[in-house]
Amino acid sequence: MAKKSAHVQSVRDVLRIDPEAVDLSAVDPAGSPVGPKSKSDAAEDLAGMAAELDQLQENLYAEGVLGGKRRVLVVLQGMDTSGKGGTIRHVAGLVNPQGLRIVSFKKPTRSELSHDFLWRIRRQLPTPGEIGFFDRSHYEDVLVPRVDKLVPPSVWRARYQQINDFEAELAESGVTILKCFLHISPERQKERLVARLETPEKRWKYNPQDLAVRAKWSQYQLAYTDLLTKCSPPTAPWYAVPSDRKWYRNWAVARLLLHTLRDLAPTYPVPDYDPVAELATLTEADPLR
Amino acid sequence: MAKKSAHVQSVRDVLRIDPEAVDLSAVDPAGSPVGPKSKSDAAEDLAGMAAELDQLQENLYAEGVLGGKRRVLVVLQGMDTSGKGGTIRHVAGLVNPQGLRIVSFKKPTRSELSHDFLWRIRRQLPTPGEIGFFDRSHYEDVLVPRVDKLVPPSVWRARYQQINDFEAELAESGVTILKCFLHISPERQKERLVARLETPEKRWKYNPQDLAVRAKWSQYQLAYTDLLTKCSPPTAPWYAVPSDRKWYRNWAVARLLLHTLRDLAPTYPVPDYDPVAELATLTEADPLR
């Protein structure tokens, strides 16, 4: 137990990005700066978290049923093949699917583009009691449009503040946001892209556009550096999750989520009826007789 | 394998409701008319389904990514404590949460009531490639408003045809619907309500309204009988799932879902790019060098 507590204490401190000095080149995508050092240790620790995660989620969900407003939103960003989907599978898979809202944001449709960039995000937020997972998010809007020059710089530059305002508004409405940047190396991306192309069952995951994006690797790292610098208020920090090794990535996001839920500390809410009286009615004067 | 095939062949035939002769009193809520006869056999069979369900779901999801339109919608209806949430937990929990869309419909809000009754349903449909689970659905609109006389009979009676038209439209747009009526006995409901009241951690699941609804048991059974009679076209039949025993209920819904997915037979779609050419580019002319 002491060992586990140590993980929880430090995982956030170690992975949290300091917006004053963002340097992605200093973060080893293959590192394990905190927590387990092997796949088997990580699997064991992950399995050990499941019951507590499940219980915390149920309590949060119960709160929502009884009128609570709190909810959690896990935002996953990262280059192609960094494992946003895999993280959702392995981390979200630890809890009751009924309390989850999982959303993958694709290239915006024409209809979505006719609204402001936060419009489609607002429509998919977790409702009270839910844990939401976003596979890509509003942060795409300071990445692709910038790198591909789809909008003038004044437009994407204004979005940093708009995002900060939006996230502050979320916090006000009961949403706790957990932002994870899944950090991979270009070498690992290449391996994973090759694997997708070589394996018939994985080819659907590949898109010829992936190579065009890969070619702009350094521009994307710069765009990420800027958003990590400008959108990291103390209340909604980013975490850099080393993601070259899937087992480390899954472990780290699960731990970050566990820590987030522990801080919320949802407990079974006290119902607004009298259980003793209800029980008496049901057992002594069952309305169905 | 032969044994499993036998289950699959017959589970739909045995549980399918014949709209010409709906008689809920003839369906034993504690029965196991097909499939495993014990909790351990059911658990074993359920575990045996997981890999195939998972693979079929991934194929369906891949189809959706590459432009396919097909998706599945599992509709769960049943009296309070029949286990709609528990079914979702145990059945949806067998597959990748990323491909799921789980929605619990509560009492309609004022905003929802200002639209037609299908409006809120349409907004929550699974998107292509997804498997949706509805905990309550548009069928509530021919139950509560009827029993509680919230709308004139002409309004709820018209809804049967509106629902049939809606589901036909869904079928046209690629949605395969699986409708499960979770059938429990009033005795079992009483036990479960008592358990919710006696267990502090379960009290949030109880609502004093539950007793008022229980008092109208026979009216609800009649309303169910009518909707099962009127909304069971051959393309979208209802299944009566004996639900007094949770293990049987979970097994039956999982089997029905597996059968539904097998019929769809999604396979890995052929991508619309040339994998060999892409691989050559990546390995011989990596754009990132």
Side-chain angles (χ1 to χ4, degrees):
Chain A
M1 282 306 286
K3 188 178 161 207
K4 282 185 185 173
S5 295
H7 284 170
V8 173
Q9 287 307 314
S10 55
V11 65
R12 293 204 289 192
D13 292 337
V14 175
L15 301 185
R16 188 187 294 112
I17 287 176
D18 175 3
E20 312 266 310
V22 179
D23 180 5
L24 289 176
S25 69
V27 179
D28 179 4
S32 46
V34 55
K37 300 291 177 196
S38 73
K39 187 173 178 177
S40 59
D41 282 357
E44 191 185 331
D45 197 57
L46 199 66
M49 286 181 236
E52 187 181 353
L53 271 173
D54 192 56
Q55 185 64 66
L56 287 165
Q57 184 209 22
E58 181 167 324
N59 294 359
L60 186 67
Y61 188 82
E63 256 193 30
V65 168
L66 294 190
K69 294 296 175 202
R70 300 196 298 175
R71 44 207 136 145
V72 171
L73 174 60
V74 182
V75 167
L76 301 175
Q77 285 286 158
M79 300 295 286
D80 288 328
T81 78
S82 60
K84 300 176 289 293
T87 302
I88 290 174
R89 177 176 185 123
H90 291 280
V91 178
L94 295 172
V95 300
N96 185 348
Q98 201 175 18
L100 296 175
R101 175 170 304 239
I102 297 168
V103 187
S104 297
F105 289 98
K106 319 283 187 207
K107 186 179 164 188
T109 62
R110 189 175 295 196
S111 159
E112 287 170 344
L113 286 172
S114 73
H115 297 83
D116 75 280
F117 76 103
L118 294 170
W119 178 81
R120 64 175 189 160
I121 307 295
R122 290 181 190 277
R123 290 166 57 95
Q124 302 280 10
L125 291 170
T127 56
E130 287 185 331
I131 298 176
F133 280 85
F134 279 3
D135 173 345
R136 305 186 189 271
S137 67
H138 42 297
Y139 284 100
E140 287 296 309
D141 297 287
V142 287
L143 290 164
V144 184
R146 168 183 175 162
V147 172
D148 286 347
K149 301 186 172 56
L150 303 179
V151 299
S154 62
V155 171
W156 58 257
R157 284 205 186 105
R159 288 178 177 168
Y160 297 123
Q161 187 58 46
Q162 288 159 356
I163 287 173
N164 286 336
D165 291 345
F166 170 61
E167 293 184 358
E169 176 196 322
L170 291 187
E172 281 289 317
S173 68
V175 179
T176 298
I177 191 166
L178 170 63
K179 303 188 290 194
C180 300
F181 171 61
L182 307 185
H183 187 42
I184 58 163
S185 64
E187 295 76 23
R188 182 68 81 198
Q189 184 188 63
K190 185 170 183 173
E191 284 174 25
R192 291 182 182 166
L193 288 175
V194 166
R196 287 182 180 182
L197 285 164
E198 286 181 338
T199 318
E201 314 89 84
K202 287 187 179 178
R203 285 182 185 152
W204 65 273
K205 296 185 181 184
Y206 179 89
N207 184 321
Q209 270 300 103
D210 295 351
L211 284 194
V213 175
R214 176 172 168 80
K216 298 169 191 161
W217 189 277
S218 60
Q219 291 160 268
Y220 273 98
Q221 297 297 301
L222 182 61
Y224 266 113
T225 299
D226 278 356
L227 77 83
L228 296 169
T229 301
K230 293 176 197 294
C231 298
S232 292
T235 50
W238 274 97
Y239 297 92
V241 176
S243 298
D244 269 9
R245 293 181 297 178
K246 294 174 184 175
W247 59 263
Y248 190 78
R249 175 199 75 202
N250 295 339
W251 173 86
V253 175
R255 269 281 157 199
L256 290 168
L257 176 60
L258 179 60
H259 206 168
T260 302
L261 287 169
R262 279 184 180 169
D263 276 2
L264 290 178
T267 51
Y268 281 109
V270 176
D272 57 357
Y273 62 83
D274 177 356
V276 177
E278 293 291 324
L279 196 54
T281 304
L282 181 57
T283 52
E284 289 156 35
D286 184 356
L288 182 66
R289 268 189 313 189
Chain B
M1 284 307 285
K3 189 179 160 209
K4 283 186 184 173
S5 295
H7 285 169
V8 174
Q9 286 306 313
S10 56
V11 65
R12 295 206 288 193
D13 293 335
V14 174
L15 301 185
R16 187 186 296 113
I17 287 176
D18 175 4
E20 311 268 310
V22 179
D23 180 5
L24 289 177
S25 68
V27 179
D28 180 4
S32 47
V34 56
K37 300 292 178 196
S38 73
K39 188 173 179 177
S40 60
D41 282 358
E44 190 184 331
D45 197 56
L46 200 66
M49 285 181 235
E52 187 181 353
L53 271 173
D54 191 57
Q55 185 63 66
L56 286 165
Q57 184 209 22
E58 180 167 325
N59 293 359
L60 186 68
Y61 187 83
E63 255 193 31
V65 168
L66 293 191
K69 295 296 175 203
R70 300 195 299 174
R71 45 207 135 146
V72 171
L73 174 60
V74 182
V75 167
L76 301 175
Q77 285 286 157
M79 299 296 285
D80 288 328
T81 78
S82 60
K84 300 176 288 293
T87 302
I88 290 174
R89 179 178 182 121
H90 291 279
V91 178
L94 295 172
V95 301
N96 185 347
Q98 201 176 17
L100 296 176
R101 176 171 301 239
I102 297 169
V103 186
S104 297
F105 289 98
K106 319 283 188 209
K107 186 179 164 187
T109 63
R110 190 175 294 196
S111 160
E112 287 170 343
L113 286 172
S114 73
H115 297 84
D116 76 279
F117 76 101
L118 294 170
W119 178 81
R120 65 175 187 160
I121 306 296
R122 290 180 191 277
R123 290 166 56 95
Q124 302 280 9
L125 291 170
T127 56
E130 287 184 331
I131 299 176
F133 280 84
F134 279 3
D135 174 345
R136 304 189 191 269
S137 67
H138 42 297
Y139 284 100
E140 288 296 308
D141 296 286
V142 287
L143 289 166
V144 183
R146 168 183 175 163
V147 172
D148 286 346
K149 300 186 173 58
L150 304 180
V151 299
S154 61
V155 170
W156 59 257
R157 284 205 187 103
R159 288 179 177 166
Y160 297 123
Q161 187 58 46
Q162 289 160 356
I163 287 173
N164 286 336
D165 292 345
F166 171 60
E167 292 185 358
E169 177 197 320
L170 291 187
E172 281 290 316
S173 68
V175 180
T176 298
I177 191 167
L178 171 62
K179 302 188 290 194
C180 301
F181 171 61
L182 307 186
H183 187 41
I184 57 161
S185 63
E187 295 75 23
R188 183 68 81 200
Q189 185 188 63
K190 186 171 184 172
E191 285 175 24
R192 291 184 182 166
L193 289 174
V194 167
R196 286 181 181 182
L197 285 164
E198 286 182 339
T199 318
E201 315 89 83
K202 287 188 177 178
R203 283 182 186 151
W204 65 272
K205 296 186 180 183
Y206 179 89
N207 184 320
Q209 269 302 102
D210 295 351
L211 285 195
V213 175
R214 176 173 169 79
K216 299 170 190 160
W217 189 277
S218 60
Q219 291 159 268
Y220 272 99
Q221 297 296 301
L222 182 62
Y224 267 112
T225 299
D226 277 355
L227 77 83
L228 296 169
T229 301
K230 294 176 196 297
C231 298
S232 292
T235 50
W238 274 97
Y239 297 93
V241 177
S243 297
D244 269 9
R245 293 182 296 180
K246 295 174 183 174
W247 60 262
Y248 189 79
R249 177 199 72 202
N250 295 339
W251 172 85
V253 175
R255 268 281 158 199
L256 289 167
L257 176 60
L258 178 61
H259 205 167
T260 302
L261 288 168
R262 279 184 180 169
D263 277 3
L264 289 178
T267 51
Y268 281 108
V270 176
D272 57 358
Y273 62 82
D274 177 357
V276 177
E278 294 290 324
L279 196 55
T281 304
L282 181 56
T283 53
E284 290 157 34
D286 184 355
L288 182 65
R289 271 187 313 188

